[in-house]
Amino acid sequence: MSLTEVSLFNNVIKQIRYKIKSYTGIFHALVVLQILGLFLSTIGEGSMSEPGTFFSISVQYFTSGVVVGMTTFWLFINTLLITTKAYREDDFTFVTSRLSRLWANIGFVFLLSVIGAVSAHLAINALKVYLIIQNDELIMSNSLSSVSVITGLLGLIGYFILVSAIAYTIGSIFQRSKVIAILVSISFIILGNIIIRFQGEELIFQGLYFFTKEPNLALFWLKIIFTSSLLFLISWMMSKNQEVQA
Amino acid sequence: MSLILAFVPLIIVFGIFMIFISNKKSTIPKKTRLTSKFTTRLVVVYAFFLLASSITAAFISPSENTNEKVDITHLNDDLYSNLSNGIEEEIPANLILNEWTNEIEGDIFTLETQDAYDLPIVIMIEQVESTDKIVEATLYKGIYLVNEIEIPKYLENIEVDWQGDQLIVNIPTQDSVSMSFFRYDFTFTQFSGNASVDDSRGMSSSAQYPILYIKVPKSLTLNVDEERVEMVN
């Protein structure tokens, strides 16, 4: 019998390392989805043409949104999967507690958020290179300065952390009780419809504007940390009384 | 932002599906892959591809300032307004595409244009106090803006020819112009001071047609289609 006391921190680190090594399929999926996103981006977000007798013009629009959307999709799904039984049982490879498992999952999704944001940012450069080669003159509607690159990246990481927190909470609720999950989902849909009917979509967008219209990076991160902490706390409450593995 | 939100229903449906599938498979012993050589190599190759693309993009990317934005309102007001009031002296010389002078032999000045309802040119005629029969024509460049970016050489191929006492204006069809715009979405520009989730995602275009300004002495009779010309006071 070992008398060595394992610290929570060391346990969490070991679990994160284990997850990185064993869940390689996640990174495989990231590559596939981002390449798919790049392909879809080359089609363009939209186009417009003004034909005329003497002068005609056609305009195509490209955006970074598809790659970011695909990465968001990847992160959301994989974070959901981490809460499922199959992945939960992997955690019993170690002598862990639910707290260390939660911290390990938080650390892992944070890592996925960083990897997703950095790879999405770099993938957009690949898109730009392709578009510049394909089009004689690609016009930048907006470009990023050195500072904007860093702040943009940090902002994207923040959004991904928020998405993963939402996914983790949804997954935890589902795992706790599918009946509760379905009831909560139906309630949200009904409530959402009522709000839209009586208040318009503005109220819902106000919730999004809380993050998307924040021009200060520090305040933005405070909002992200606060909201994500709240969501992970809900996840913790959901998983607190789940069964243990014999 | 709407593009990113468009993924939301897909994410939710797919996520719920994956949860159910994954939970069902929990009884099957799940293999733990400590190392996947194929995945590792794929990720490494992809990482190199991204780095190479980023370095290439750093050298060949056009900056936002490559194409200077133009405020057409200012241009419209100044050019059209000044010419409408006969204040030709206020117009900068760089807006002049071409100038012609011709002495009319007879007493009638004729202006001929193509018979098209959407002729992309503004023709202004100012009748000047003059005893001679010299007609002066000046062609001012037009401007076509897409998202405040100027289309180069917009309708600069307008042909203005003199045939005796006739001034013939012919506008050949210009080659179609293609433009491509690339825009970072709000997640990248939110903190750079020029971000807005509500940024108009549509195309805005505006045009100021080229203006042919003709000074005709009052001693000459005008033979013009009055629906096609504007008389300058």
Side-chain angles (χ1 to χ4, degrees):
Chain A
M1 183 174 135
S2 172
L3 297 174
T4 307
E5 193 174 328
V6 180
S7 71
L8 176 66
F9 179 76
N10 288 336
N11 209 350
V12 167
I13 296 296
K14 279 181 185 170
Q15 284 186 73
I16 293 174
R17 280 189 189 147
Y18 171 78
K19 288 176 195 291
I20 292 169
K21 285 182 182 174
S22 63
Y23 301 160
T24 53
I26 287 179
F27 303 106
H28 190 175
L30 173 64
V31 173
V32 170
L33 282 175
Q34 284 194 343
I35 289 173
L36 181 62
L38 283 172
F39 173 72
L40 292 174
S41 296
T42 59
I43 298 172
E45 184 189 30
S47 63
M48 196 281 314
S49 64
E50 279 190 11
T53 310
F54 302 97
F55 178 77
S56 58
I57 183 169
S58 64
V59 180
Q60 267 197 304
Y61 293 95
F62 302 95
T63 179
S64 58
V66 180
V67 175
V68 172
M70 280 295 191
T71 310
T72 308
F73 174 73
W74 163 80
L75 185 65
F76 189 92
I77 295 301
N78 284 288
T79 309
L80 269 183
L81 289 177
I82 286 170
T83 62
T84 59
K85 213 171 184 178
Y87 286 81
R88 208 165 59 231
E89 287 179 352
D90 284 345
D91 290 330
F92 293 112
T93 308
F94 296 88
V95 177
T96 62
S97 62
R98 288 197 188 90
L99 183 62
S100 69
R101 177 175 168 266
L102 176 67
W103 279 114
N105 283 340
I106 291 172
F108 186 58
V109 297
F110 176 77
L111 202 64
L112 291 185
S113 301
V114 172
I115 291 169
V118 171
S119 59
H121 210 287
L122 295 178
I124 289 160
N125 288 325
L127 174 64
K128 277 168 56 181
V129 169
Y130 172 80
L131 293 176
I132 290 166
I133 293 169
Q134 282 293 108
N135 300 283
D136 289 338
E137 190 177 323
L138 182 70
I139 299 169
M140 303 296 296
S141 296
N142 53 12
S143 58
L144 303 181
S145 62
S146 309
V147 174
S148 298
V149 168
I150 296 168
T151 56
L153 192 58
L154 290 172
L156 195 57
I157 293 172
Y159 279 116
F160 282 167
I161 289 172
L162 182 63
V163 165
S164 57
I166 292 169
Y168 197 85
T169 307
I170 292 172
S172 299
I173 294 172
F174 255 87
Q175 296 306 315
R176 184 74 178 95
S177 168
K178 291 178 183 50
V179 174
I180 293 174
I182 291 168
L183 285 174
V184 168
S185 304
I186 293 171
S187 304
F188 265 115
I189 292 168
I190 293 172
L191 189 66
N193 272 312
I194 291 170
I195 291 171
I196 290 170
R197 187 181 288 273
F198 290 103
Q199 299 285 342
E201 293 173 347
E202 191 60 31
L203 194 63
I204 293 175
F205 279 119
Q206 288 297 332
L208 294 171
Y209 291 163
F210 179 68
F211 298 100
T212 59
K213 286 214 169 182
E214 176 55 63
N216 188 299
L217 184 62
L219 279 176
F220 171 79
W221 265 95
L222 270 174
K223 291 176 182 178
I224 292 290
I225 290 169
F226 176 77
T227 310
S228 304
S229 302
L230 202 62
L231 289 168
F232 283 123
L233 184 64
I234 294 170
S235 307
W236 165 245
M237 304 288 284
M238 287 291 132
S239 64
K240 213 173 174 185
N241 295 321
Q242 281 180 317
E243 77 283 2
V244 295
Q245 180 100 346
Chain B
M1 181 165 137
S2 59
L3 190 63
I4 296 172
L5 286 180
F7 282 91
V8 170
L10 177 67
I11 288 171
I12 292 172
V13 170
F14 194 76
I16 294 169
F17 175 73
M18 288 303 294
I19 287 172
F20 280 114
I21 294 291
S22 190
N23 278 344
K24 275 194 171 182
K25 285 185 178 174
S26 65
T27 54
I28 300 169
K30 185 171 170 293
K31 287 185 183 176
T32 302
R33 297 181 297 273
L34 292 178
T35 308
S36 170
K37 281 187 181 172
F38 174 75
T39 301
T40 306
R41 283 176 191 161
L42 178 69
V43 170
V44 169
V45 167
Y46 184 63
F48 271 116
F49 165 71
L50 293 183
L51 279 171
S53 302
S54 300
I55 293 167
T56 309
F59 286 104
I60 68 173
S61 274
S63 71
E64 189 181 357
N65 298 325
T66 304
N67 301 92
E68 196 178 321
K69 294 194 175 178
V70 177
D71 180 7
I72 193 171
T73 312
H74 178 71
L75 187 65
N76 267 347
D77 290 344
D78 283 353
L79 180 63
Y80 188 83
S81 171
N82 287 335
L83 289 177
S84 294
N85 294 315
I87 312 172
E88 213 182 343
E89 308 78 41
E90 301 284 329
I91 310 298
N94 62 345
L95 293 179
I96 297 174
L97 279 178
N98 216 333
E99 292 175 285
W100 303 266
T101 306
N102 192 37
E103 188 170 0
I104 304 297
E105 291 178 2
D107 295 324
I108 301 172
F109 165 71
T110 304
L111 177 68
E112 288 285 337
T113 61
Q114 284 152 288
D115 187 22
Y117 73 95
D118 58 346
L119 216 58
I121 189 168
V122 175
I123 301 174
M124 294 182 177
I125 295 180
E126 180 189 4
Q127 288 189 288
V128 296
E129 296 286 348
S130 177
T131 53
D132 57 27
K133 295 182 180 180
I134 295 175
V135 174
E136 297 173 12
T138 308
L139 181 64
Y140 293 93
K141 68 177 283 186
I143 185 167
Y144 196 107
L145 299 181
V146 176
N147 293 346
E148 298 176 341
I149 304 293
E150 184 180 348
I151 303 288
K153 298 185 181 177
Y154 169 61
L155 289 178
E156 288 186 358
N157 58 345
I158 292 175
E159 296 162 355
V160 178
D161 295 318
W162 286 99
Q163 282 186 9
D165 294 348
Q166 274 190 1
L167 181 62
I168 300 171
V169 179
N170 184 46
I171 305 175
T173 304
Q174 191 169 352
D175 290 338
S176 176
V177 173
S178 296
M179 295 179 79
S180 301
F181 287 87
F182 179 86
R183 186 178 52 83
Y184 284 102
D185 64 279
F186 77 97
T187 52
F188 292 97
T189 60
Q190 185 172 342
F191 311 104
S192 61
N194 59 349
S196 172
V197 174
D198 294 332
D199 269 347
S200 173
R201 302 173 76 84
M203 191 196 85
S204 67
S205 68
S206 47
Q208 165 66 62
Y209 286 154
I211 299 176
L212 180 63
Y213 193 82
I214 308 170
K215 287 182 183 174
V216 182
K218 284 185 177 176
S219 55
L220 294 174
T221 305
L222 293 176
N223 179 19
V224 299
D225 183 350
E226 289 180 2
E227 289 183 3
R228 292 201 184 278
V229 303
E230 294 179 24
M231 299 304 295
V232 175
N233 296 328

